[in-house]
Every structure is written in C-alpha cells, then in structure tokens.
Amino acid sequence: MFQIIICITVKLSEKTRTHCSYTTKVISYSQLVLQKGLGSQCQRLNHGTAGRASPSPSIPFIFVLASQRCRMNDDTGADYLTPWQLSECVDGGGVGVVESSRCSTCTEGDAVTSFNWPWQTYAVMKGSVLQKVDPQLVDGHLSYFLGAVGITGLTALLGVREKGNVTKGANQTMVVSGAAGACGSIAGQIGRLDGCVRVVGICGSNDKCRALVEDLGFSAAINYHQEDVHTRLKECCPDGIDVYFDNVGGAISDTVITQMNNGGHVILCGQISQYNKDVPYPPPLSEEIKETLRSKNISRERFMVLNYMNKADAALCELSQWVKSSQIKVLETMANGIENMGDAFCSMMKGGNIGKQIIKIS
C-alpha cells in the first residue's frame, strides 16, 4: 500500500556555504519533499534497516550545537566531523521513537538516538546508526538524551574528570565560560559535586546569571556584556583559579588564564568565539598567554569526549542518577517545529539559549 509523506527537509544553501556566517540565514527550510511511505519503501529495505522514526506518539527531538557551525566549512577541523553537503539533508543528533521496523535490534515503540539524525520530520534509517535508550534513565524526558544524559553530559563529566584534576578537600576554584550553555551549565554543577568550593560562571545576560546562581548552584556569575570580567574575577575568585572549563576561547579565555594559579588546568572543550574565523582548531594563542601557561605550568589540552567512550556507560549511569535525584538541574531552550530550526541555530550561535537548544519536531 502506498502512502505519501510530506516531509520538510532542512538543507544547506549556497549562500551559507559561501559566506559561512551565522549572521546570514543559515538554513533554508522552505523545501517540501514528497516521499513514499513505508508501505512501498519497506520492500526495498535490507533487514539491517529500521523503520521511520515518527513524531507520533512520542514526538522526537533534534538538537543544535556550536560545533555544527564547523560543518559549514570544507575543512571542519575535526576528523570526527564531516562537512554538510550542498543540497543534501543536514543531519545531527536526535532522539525519536521507532514507528515500524524490520530490524532485529529495533522494535515498534523503542526510543532511539543517533548522531546522524536527518533534519526532517520522518526518516528511514539503518539500524546500525541507531542506539536504543531506556526512557526510565531520564524519567521519560527524551530530550535529556541529547543533553545532560547524552553526549553533552558525557563531555562535561569526562572533561572535568579527565582534564580538570578536581580533588575534594583541595579548596579549588573553577571558572566556566559559556556557563549557561548546554555543556557549561552541566560542567559547573559537576565541578561543585566533585569538590570545588567555588564555581564561577561567565555568560552573556543577567537572566543567565540568575539561572546559574539561583537554579544551578553556581557561587557567582559574571555578565561579560555588562561587567568587567577581569575585575569581577578578582572579586569572585579571591584565591585565584585552579580549573577553567573553556567553551569560548578568545579574549575572555585570555583574561581567565592570566588569573590562574600555578599548576592549574584548562579544559579545552570549545572555542565558539572563534568558529566564524578562518583559523585552525584549536585557535592559536598570543605569545603572552603562551608564556603565562608555561611559567605557571598550566596544562591546556584539547579534550575530545570520543576518546573516552570506554567510560561512557558508567558516566551515563552517574549522570542519570544525578539528574533523577535533582543533584543536577537541566536547563533547556525549546523551539517548536522543524520550520524554526534555522532560527534556533542562529539564536544558539549568538547566545540566545539557556541550557541545551532543542527543537521539538511537530
């Protein structure tokens, strides 16, 4: 039996790829693609292919994140990131519910995630690219698998554990830039739970500062748009800075590094302030900052969570327990409808989100 599905597919436009600037319209989402439904397609699927993940009854979610900006370049700067292709469907992380399947590992009603979820309302996907997840781990909040109990939470937890050298009883101070974003908001809470006596967040609005302190338990927050970061760091970190979770790079990170203690640790997670520039990743540092790192014996190493996936299962269990017990609070900014993905992406790149930027497909 034939079924026609009207499917909105998000594609990368020539203008975006040429100029590579999120200040222009990043995504063209006006195209409607007609597809034959599963009634006809299943006859051509291999047994290793799962059926389409449907937005009903459980509506799937897709996330956008800053590193996807790099996928608009011919060279993404990372081996694990492939460039988006012109006129091809854009993909990224997503979670959904299997509606129909001929795959032995996926059955109807299963919740599944993938790093290669197409930005469209329906999809026929190979079972090999889907990972089944247990909704009980997130008390039914499926979008948490894209954030706090997913790759974002793993990045925060393993970044702090593997590169931060946080030690209970050591009277350490942590600073987090991009602190109200998806990863920073989780990393700061983990720093506190792991033993930092002071956690200070740097973000871009008073609302974000309030959320960090009142909702997430940060010791203090700095609005870099309205406050002098150097002066406020002196006030908020009287004993200096021992651990810096760096999500932004640029001038803010330079200011933080100059106030770090001897033997401190920089967790190099992201450099969003540099993603629109034609520079290698990680971006080069000034000679002054290089000398500060050397003279104070401050470690600054690139962190890639994919290098630590052997620790993922245990880490996800720990994150799940923290979230379910409310020891970690989850912040999300939710946009409704695939037609708003472009705007959500641009807003996220300009700091419009608090917590993970999620798109609910409707």
Side-chain angles (χ1 to χ4, degrees):
M1 181 176 179
F2 284 82
Q3 179 184 9
I4 301 297
I5 302 170
I6 297 178
C7 176
I8 301 175
T9 301
V10 182
K11 294 187 177 182
L12 190 64
S13 69
E14 180 72 49
K15 181 179 180 182
T16 302
R17 193 61 177 274
T18 301
H19 296 287
C20 287
S21 173
Y22 60 77
T23 58
T24 64
K25 195 68 172 179
V26 173
I27 300 296
S28 170
Y29 49 73
S30 59
Q31 183 176 18
L32 294 178
V33 178
L34 295 179
Q35 296 180 339
K36 290 182 180 179
L38 289 177
S40 60
Q41 289 193 22
C42 276
Q43 302 303 314
R44 300 194 297 275
L45 293 179
N46 296 324
H47 287 287
T49 303
R52 64 184 172 93
S54 169
S56 176
S58 295
I59 298 175
F61 301 88
I62 294 175
F63 69 73
V64 291
L65 72 166
S67 63
Q68 289 171 329
R69 170 61 185 80
C70 302
R71 300 187 69 185
M72 296 182 190
N73 303 330
D74 289 326
D75 181 2
T76 66
D79 294 339
Y80 63 92
L81 289 178
T82 57
W84 284 332
Q85 299 301 311
L86 295 175
S87 300
E88 296 291 332
C89 183
V90 175
D91 67 336
V95 61
V97 176
V98 175
E99 184 175 283
S100 180
S101 175
R102 294 179 61 184
C103 174
S104 60
T105 59
C106 295
T107 59
E108 181 178 347
D110 283 345
V112 291
T113 65
S114 174
F115 290 124
N116 304 110
W117 203 277
W119 288 11
Q120 58 191 47
T121 52
Y122 295 93
V124 177
M125 301 178 69
K126 293 181 178 179
S128 59
V129 303
L130 297 174
Q131 178 182 0
K132 191 156 59 173
V133 291
D134 181 1
Q136 292 186 4
L137 289 174
V138 291
D139 281 340
H141 298 284
L142 291 184
S143 61
Y144 288 6
F145 285 121
L146 305 181
V149 192
I151 194 67
T152 302
L154 285 176
T155 301
L157 177 57
L158 296 176
V160 171
R161 294 272 173 87
E162 299 296 326
K163 300 295 184 181
N165 292 85
V166 175
T167 305
K168 286 186 182 294
N171 197 39
Q172 291 170 300
T173 295
M174 172 187 279
V175 170
V176 182
S177 59
C183 194
S185 61
I186 301 297
Q189 295 179 81
I190 291 171
R192 172 174 51 79
L193 289 168
D194 274 5
C196 288
V197 297
R198 189 177 291 109
V199 177
V200 177
I202 303 174
C203 55
S205 75
N206 290 333
D207 285 343
K208 291 180 178 181
C209 287
R210 279 192 291 271
L212 292 180
V213 175
E214 296 176 9
D215 299 332
L216 305 187
F218 280 57
S219 309
I222 301 169
N223 180 351
Y224 70 88
H225 282 308
Q226 296 184 1
E227 300 178 279
D228 182 81
V229 175
H230 176 83
T231 300
R232 288 287 287 133
L233 283 174
K234 286 286 188 183
E235 295 170 355
C236 297
C237 310
D239 297 322
I241 300 163
D242 302 291
V243 183
Y244 174 39
F245 199 98
D246 184 7
N247 287 303
V248 303
I252 287 177
S253 290
D254 291 351
T255 300
V256 175
I257 290 171
T258 59
Q259 296 192 33
M260 291 188 71
N261 294 326
N262 291 335
H265 303 280
V266 178
I267 305 165
L268 186 56
C269 180
Q271 302 280 278
I272 190 173
S273 71
Q274 309 297 301
Y275 287 166
N276 248 22
K277 300 178 182 179
D278 187 15
V279 295
Y281 188 89
L285 298 172
S286 68
E287 291 302 318
E288 178 183 358
I289 296 301
K290 288 180 182 178
E291 176 57 24
T292 299
L293 294 172
R294 187 201 62 78
S295 64
K296 290 187 175 182
N297 193 30
I298 298 170
S299 68
R300 179 182 181 268
E301 299 176 353
R302 181 177 182 178
F303 173 74
M304 294 178 60
V305 68
L306 296 181
N307 292 336
Y308 300 90
M309 295 309 286
N310 61 315
K311 302 182 179 183
D313 288 344
L316 287 172
C317 285
E318 188 170 8
L319 288 164
S320 171
Q321 292 168 2
W322 275 339
V323 169
K324 291 172 72 172
S325 64
S326 297
Q327 290 178 275
I328 283 182
K329 305 290 180 59
V330 181
L331 300 180
E332 294 181 324
T333 297
M334 190 75 68
N336 290 306
I338 194 170
E339 68 275 11
N340 292 313
M341 286 197 70
D343 290 337
F345 184 89
C346 292
S347 176
M348 177 271 303
M349 287 298 297
K350 292 183 285 187
N353 59 300
I354 297 181
K356 193 75 172 181
Q357 177 65 68
I358 301 288
I359 295 85
K360 181 179 181 180
I361 306 302
S362 57

